[in-house]
């Protein structure tokens, strides 16, 4: 069964995944809306911003983790900022893991939201405008409810991806018990120590969790399509 170290890794991973998902849903909503329907003189920026958002999908985790570690270090811009504010560097802390997870899981939350906002079309918002709804009212009362499938997919994918991340977490967080040692790092430790039984418990739990989450997501999406 799981020992105290494994339970601490599970708890830390759940806290990290939940925090990352909630923050990305809040911050990713206006970003996704602008990427999907942004107008004005700056709309030409949507293409390069989309590329930047999707960059973690193709960038090796070790590369992203390395540059994040440099940025959070004493001589990096993030590290200098946190030290100037009276704190310490974020490297090898939970807050550093959170910042890295926000960047690495960003496309898994934002891209489903962009797809949902793009699929709305103009008619629902135009109908809301004819009823004298302000753009903000139309967004919260029309666009967001209609984009619920995107929020569901983004939340599930962001949570599951953050929960299982290894490369970025190990690079910027190290392996500090109770502070930065996540489930993936704990599995790696068990394998290095030839503790395959303990590794099986954690790895099997992650496998079962991932399968159940994806199965439920497909079932919900299937029922929604069937009801349309």
């Amino acid at each position: 069964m799981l020992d105290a170290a494994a339970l601490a890794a599970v708890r830390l991973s759940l806290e990290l995944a939940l925090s990352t998902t909630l923050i990305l849903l809040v911050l990713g909503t206006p970003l996704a809306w602008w990427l999907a329907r942004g107008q004005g003189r700056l709309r030409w920026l949507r293409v390069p911003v989309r590329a930047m958002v999707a960059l973690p999908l193709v960038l090796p985790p070790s590369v992203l983790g390395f540059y994040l570690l440099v940025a959070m270090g004493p001589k990096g811009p993030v590290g200098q900022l946190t030290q100037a504010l009276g704190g310490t560097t974020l490297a090898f802390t939970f807050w550093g893991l959170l910042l890295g997870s926000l960047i690495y899981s960003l496309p898994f939350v934002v891209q489903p939201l962009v797809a949902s906002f793009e699929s709305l079309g103009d008619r629902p918002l135009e109908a809301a405008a004819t009823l004298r709804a302000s753009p903000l009212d139309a967004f919260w009362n029309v666009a967001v409810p209609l984009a619920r499938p995107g929020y569901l997919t983004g939340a599930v994918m962001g949570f599951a991806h953050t929960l299982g991340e290894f490369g970025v977490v190990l690079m910027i967080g190290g392996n500090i018990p109770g502070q930065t040692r996540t489930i993936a790092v704990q599995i790696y430790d068990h394998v290095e120590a030839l503790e395959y039984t303990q590794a099986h418990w954690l790895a099997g739990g992650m496998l079962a969790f991932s399968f159940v989450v994806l199965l439920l997501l497909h079932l919900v999406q299937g029922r929604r399509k069937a009801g349309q």
Side-chain angles (χ1 to χ4, degrees):
M1 297 295 290
L2 302 182
D3 56 14
L7 290 174
V10 171
R11 182 174 62 253
L12 177 67
S13 298
L14 291 175
E15 292 175 357
L16 178 64
L18 181 60
S19 301
T20 299
T21 303
L22 292 177
I23 293 174
L24 284 179
L25 286 175
V26 173
L27 300 182
T29 294
L31 175 60
W33 179 256
W34 179 74
L35 289 175
R37 309 183 65 85
Q39 300 295 329
R41 292 180 296 178
L42 296 179
R43 62 182 179 181
W44 63 271
L45 285 174
R46 289 191 297 175
V47 173
V49 172
R50 279 192 182 220
M52 291 182 62
V53 169
L55 191 60
L57 294 175
V58 297
L59 196 64
S62 57
V63 174
L64 179 59
F66 169 72
Y67 283 113
L68 287 174
L69 180 61
V70 171
M72 296 178 190
K75 297 183 180 180
V78 178
Q80 291 181 349
L81 176 61
T82 55
Q83 291 179 98
L85 295 176
T88 59
T89 59
L90 296 180
F92 308 110
T93 67
F94 175 82
W95 300 109
L97 289 185
L98 180 60
L99 178 59
S101 297
L102 290 174
I103 295 174
Y104 194 63
S105 295
L106 181 66
F108 293 88
V109 177
V110 170
Q111 288 189 342
L113 294 179
V114 172
S116 288
F117 287 143
E118 287 179 336
S119 66
L120 294 179
D122 296 327
R123 294 188 62 182
L125 299 177
E126 291 174 351
T130 60
L131 297 175
R132 299 183 180 180
S134 67
L136 186 60
D137 288 335
F139 173 74
W140 285 113
N141 297 314
V142 178
V144 170
L146 291 176
R148 280 181 297 181
Y151 279 95
L152 175 62
T153 302
V156 170
M157 296 302 294
F159 185 90
H161 181 261
T162 304
L163 192 65
E165 173 51 31
F166 175 73
V168 172
V169 167
L170 184 62
M171 184 70 74
I172 64 179
N175 189 359
I176 305 175
Q179 297 184 39
T180 63
R181 181 185 291 174
T182 62
I183 294 176
V185 178
Q186 184 68 52
I187 294 173
Y188 178 77
D189 283 351
H190 283 317
V191 173
E192 276 202 321
L194 302 180
E195 298 170 346
Y196 291 138
T197 300
Q198 293 90 331
H200 273 306
W201 278 105
L202 283 174
M206 286 292 295
L207 178 62
F209 171 80
S210 301
F211 175 76
V212 170
V213 166
L214 291 176
L215 178 62
L216 292 176
L217 179 61
H218 285 296
L219 289 175
V220 171
Q221 291 178 338
R223 289 183 178 181
R224 177 180 173 272
K225 290 180 181 179
Q228 289 180 345

